[in-house]
Amino acid sequence: MYDVVLLTLGSERDAPGGCGSGGACCGGATEAQTDPTDQAGPTGQTDTGQTTQADGDAERCATERPRVPVLACADALIARGARVETVTARSDAEIDAVLARLDGPARPDGLTWPDLDGKTRLVVATASDGQLRAVLRRLVRRYAPAPSRRPADLPGNRTLPDLPPVAVLPLDPARGGTHRDLAAQLGLPRDPAAVAAAVLDGTARRLDLLRNDGGSVTLDGALLGAADDAGRPLHWRARVEVDDTILTNGDEPLLACAVGNAGGYATLDDVTLLTAPDPADGQIEVAVAIPVVVRSALGRKRVRLEVRRARGRAVSVLPREGKVPYLDDGVEGELTRKRSWWIEPGAWAVWSI
């Protein structure tokens, strides 16, 4: 039978630094706190292994004691004969201590590698996509080898091995409705008993992962842009390039840029930005929304919104002026320099029925 760890991210009020440390919750930090040397790229380069924090302050984390869904899931697992432990992690180090249980046997090359056939399974209880991302980010930091130690058995289109599957236990049932979280988009179970069944009887569904050169990861997507106090979008400029396709060179005003792995940022108000984001197709879908002034036959001016789209393996966004606010898996941040995202096909996985 399986050993199951039910992991909840604790409130930063309970410990200095909070879950994610660095003064930020859920593995988040401001752009200024990100180590510029901690970068990686789609050509097989990974981060330096230094402990830095992701861009953007994450949402405040979960509660001080296990929530009702966690206890209900534990009861359902125990009823099936599983050995269950509930853990509340309030720092990256405490998250890492849980993830160490997923390590595989020692390798001749000395790399820390996941055990995909192990008897320990992980359930992440999440109050937000940012919390799930925090755990995946620590998995990447644990198992992604440095460029100088890249093993021969690593796929050529990846910078890290297959990560161990995780089960997702949403703590907010409402997020499955109008404002859908990633679990709802993926059609994952939300009922604690159904989550327990997925852990014990389900299959591992492999999904794409976005890494970025700020040292973080993205599961759903990112939306760049901002609005004023009245809700009107603000103009900004940036060069946006997808593989070899330039969506804008930075001379035109932008209203928004969406970087999509899944569909969380597919629309903005009533405007469709991303047409077919698929978290398992091995590609990033990117869109920019550009206001264009046109004249009618009578000479009257009006503004229409032009949406340009491209798909590829990697995208870079280079701000031309000032700071560009963004949301990345629901976590707020500000972009002040070039940021690149690239796809890691099938790198992570969820337990599903």
Side-chain angles (χ1 to χ4, degrees):
M1 185 45 67
Y2 296 107
D3 293 315
V4 181
V5 181
L6 273 162
L7 174 63
T8 302
L9 300 192
S11 171
E12 68 172 2
R13 293 171 297 178
D14 298 336
C19 71
S21 68
C25 192
C26 301
T30 62
E31 179 86 8
Q33 290 172 298
T34 304
D35 184 346
T37 66
D38 184 29
Q39 298 183 353
T43 58
Q45 296 180 332
T46 63
D47 58 57
T48 62
Q50 299 175 352
T51 302
T52 60
Q53 299 303 320
D55 39 67
D57 287 332
E59 299 178 25
R60 303 281 77 79
C61 290
T63 58
E64 290 79 0
R65 60 176 63 99
R67 302 243 312 248
V68 171
V70 176
L71 299 176
C73 188
D75 289 343
L77 289 165
I78 292 171
R80 293 282 307 277
R83 294 179 292 268
V84 178
E85 181 180 357
T86 60
V87 177
T88 300
R90 296 179 176 86
S91 69
D92 284 347
E94 291 179 350
I95 295 174
D96 293 345
V98 171
L99 301 184
R101 307 182 196 191
L102 305 177
D103 290 354
R107 289 169 53 106
D109 55 16
L111 292 174
T112 301
W113 219 246
D115 185 0
L116 299 181
D117 297 320
K119 293 299 182 180
T120 299
R121 295 196 167 177
L122 176 63
V123 180
V124 182
T126 62
S128 69
D129 289 342
Q131 291 187 350
L132 179 60
R133 183 182 82 158
V135 176
L136 264 295
R137 182 172 178 271
R138 299 313 300 175
L139 277 172
V140 169
R141 286 193 170 274
R142 185 167 193 84
Y143 296 123
S148 60
R149 302 187 65 190
R150 180 182 176 88
D153 56 344
L154 192 63
N157 63 347
R158 293 262 294 275
T159 66
L160 68 161
D162 285 354
L163 299 177
V166 300
V168 180
L169 174 62
L171 296 177
D172 184 2
R175 294 296 299 278
T178 304
H179 302 288
R180 298 198 307 160
D181 56 13
L182 187 60
Q185 293 182 55
L186 297 175
L188 300 180
R190 306 185 76 85
D191 177 74
V195 173
V199 171
L200 301 179
D201 304 323
T203 57
R205 177 182 171 188
R206 301 221 66 88
L207 302 164
D208 301 335
L209 179 73
L210 297 183
R211 296 190 68 186
N212 69 53
D213 56 4
S216 190
V217 300
T218 301
L219 309 180
D220 187 348
L223 179 65
L224 294 85
D228 61 19
D229 293 338
R232 294 182 294 265
L234 299 175
H235 292 182
W236 51 284
R237 286 177 169 80
R239 178 184 173 92
V240 181
E241 188 171 0
V242 182
D243 292 351
D244 296 326
T245 300
I246 299 174
L247 292 179
T248 175
N249 61 13
D251 294 335
E252 305 162 291
L254 297 177
L255 291 184
C257 174
V259 176
N261 186 35
Y265 300 106
T267 61
L268 180 63
D269 295 331
D270 58 349
V271 177
T272 298
L273 297 177
L274 308 175
T275 57
D278 183 343
D281 66 354
Q283 288 192 312
I284 307 170
E285 184 175 0
V286 183
V288 294
I290 301 172
V292 178
V293 178
V294 296
R295 290 182 179 273
S296 68
L298 299 177
R300 295 174 181 171
K301 293 182 180 179
R302 65 180 181 88
V303 178
R304 67 175 177 86
L305 200 60
E306 178 181 331
V307 179
R308 300 173 189 169
R309 304 179 181 91
R311 299 174 65 84
R313 186 184 173 198
V315 56
S316 65
V317 179
L318 174 61
R320 291 301 191 190
E321 51 192 19
K323 300 177 180 179
V324 180
Y326 66 85
L327 289 174
D328 190 329
D329 283 344
V331 179
E332 296 180 358
E334 288 184 331
L335 204 61
T336 60
R337 62 176 184 266
K338 184 178 180 180
R339 173 57 46 84
S340 297
W341 289 263
W342 68 91
I343 201 81
E344 299 277 349
W348 74 294
V350 292
W351 291 111
S352 62
I353 299 296

